[in-house]
Amino acid sequence: MDTDTPTRTEIDAAHDLVRQYSDHACIDIQHNGTLAPAIVMPEGRTIQSLKKLIDEFRPHPERRTGDSAMLDLDSFIDITNRFKSPFSAVFAVNEAGTAGDLKITSVFDYHDPQTGDDSHARFMGHKAHYRFPLSDEWKAWHGKNDDLLDQSDFAEFLEDHITEVAAPPEIGQKPELTDFEKHLANLIASLQSRLCGPSSLMELSRGLEIRTEEKLESTQRLATGEMSLTFSTEHKDSTGGQLKVPDLFVINIPVFKGGPSYLIPVRLRFKKSGPMLKWKFMLHRSEIVLDHAFREAAEKVREKTELPVFYGRHE
């Protein structure tokens, strides 16, 4: 063993380790006129981004970011006009029937469609949203839609919402009909319905006496001896006359809170169960009315902001 060869002691090894990991340098970094102090660590240490550190020394943010939520459509239009640029875009999503989502979004820093260079793609980090709130009237009518209601519940509901029942349009006396009146006329003809107004509807809800008459008729063919039986049930009014109950009326309600009102046909049915009478109403194709109201609002945004509106979600 060579005794002249110096041996490393534990203290020497500790000194080397301290020097290796404590050796560092302080520097200043210049970036677009921004000065930020930084520390250069020795080999073996993790390299981290200085972006957050540099941003702390900026006099203002590098770019606009954030999502704002508007409470009405006019405010959404105003903030879109405030921050829009030539490449901003609006996206409208109607998923009321599935996800229950009715939303319109402005993406202020959307990609510029005029450049083919991907290096000019934008971050899409600055947005404004508006979620369309359904009106209380819309939710009330849909809350009872297609439900069987007894006489008292039916009367109570109508008393609370009778002002939303519209008078029957004078379809037969007008030379020109609106699109809704044409649709209503076709519905009446196809269903052979009787249209009623708010006063007639209230009379039905407050009380209707029905007499049920059941008949059994038998017929026999003399040649063959075959016999057939026919069983029928007929509803009559309290005096025994033919019962004529209107089966169609129209409501005039807003789809969205603060939005315009729309006419919706409502079909009316009744069912006699023993001494009890039950009622049911069904809103006719209300999903079409909702989509129409949604697209009208989106087209208003297109007109007021002069931005493209896309029906769908952005990437």
Side-chain angles (χ1 to χ4, degrees), residues 115-165:
T115 177
D117 189 348
D118 287 342
S119 65
H120 292 285
R122 292 178 169 83
F123 289 93
M124 298 190 300
H126 189 205
K127 305 171 188 175
H129 307 278
Y130 175 61
R131 294 186 181 275
F132 289 83
L134 295 173
S135 69
D136 294 336
E137 297 89 342
W138 180 273
K139 290 188 288 187
W141 283 94
H142 278 80
K144 299 293 185 182
N145 185 50
D146 209 16
D147 288 347
L148 275 174
L149 306 174
D150 59 33
Q151 187 79 36
S152 60
D153 291 339
F154 182 57
E156 182 179 355
F157 179 84
L158 283 181
E159 286 176 358
D160 292 339
H161 298 275
I162 195 62
T163 57
E164 296 153 16
V165 178

Side-chain angles (χ1 to χ4, degrees), residues 57-238:
F57 290 85
R58 293 184 187 277
H60 51 76
E62 185 180 15
R63 60 180 180 272
R64 295 190 184 105
T65 60
D67 294 343
S68 57
M70 299 295 103
L71 299 181
D72 58 58
L73 189 63
D74 289 337
S75 294
F76 176 82
I77 292 172
D78 289 343
I79 197 170
T80 299
N81 283 327
R82 182 182 179 91
F83 292 110
K84 70 180 181 181
S85 67
F87 46 83
S88 297
V90 179
F91 296 84
V93 176
N94 176 6
E95 294 179 346
T98 54
D101 200 6
L102 284 158
K103 183 175 70 172
I104 191 166
T105 300
S106 289
V107 183
F108 300 117
D109 53 342
Y110 198 63
H111 309 306
D112 187 350
Q114 301 302 322
T115 177
D117 189 348
D118 287 342
S119 65
H120 292 285
R122 292 178 169 83
F123 289 93
M124 298 190 300
H126 189 205
K127 305 171 188 175
H129 307 278
Y130 175 61
R131 294 186 181 275
F132 289 83
L134 295 173
S135 69
D136 294 336
E137 297 89 342
W138 180 273
K139 290 188 288 187
W141 283 94
H142 278 80
K144 299 293 185 182
N145 185 50
D146 209 16
D147 288 347
L148 275 174
L149 306 174
D150 59 33
Q151 187 79 36
S152 60
D153 291 339
F154 182 57
E156 182 179 355
F157 179 84
L158 283 181
E159 286 176 358
D160 292 339
H161 298 275
I162 195 62
T163 57
E164 296 153 16
V165 178
E170 299 294 336
I171 298 177
Q173 301 179 9
K174 296 180 65 175
E176 293 185 5
L177 300 180
T178 64
D179 290 340
F180 173 79
E181 290 170 338
K182 292 178 182 178
H183 169 70
L184 186 60
N186 291 333
L187 184 63
I188 293 173
S190 60
L191 298 178
Q192 296 183 347
S193 298
R194 298 181 64 245
L195 189 63
C196 72
S199 58
S200 299
L201 201 57
M202 283 304 301
E203 290 178 5
L204 289 177
S205 69
R206 287 170 178 168
L208 178 65
E209 295 183 13
I210 299 178
R211 290 172 52 184
T212 302
E213 294 186 0
E214 298 176 346
K215 294 181 180 180
L216 179 63
E217 297 180 355
S218 63
T219 58
Q220 184 176 12
R221 294 184 181 179
L222 297 177
T224 62
E226 293 180 351
M227 178 177 291
S228 62
L229 298 176
T230 303
F231 181 80
S232 63
T233 301
E234 185 177 0
H235 296 304
K236 294 186 176 182
D237 60 23
S238 58

Side-chain angles (χ1 to χ4, degrees), residues 30-51:
Q30 289 272 358
H31 179 73
N32 289 342
T34 299
L35 179 66
I39 299 177
V40 178
M41 302 301 294
E43 182 180 358
R45 295 297 181 91
T46 302
I47 299 176
Q48 296 184 352
S49 172
L50 295 175
K51 178 70 167 60

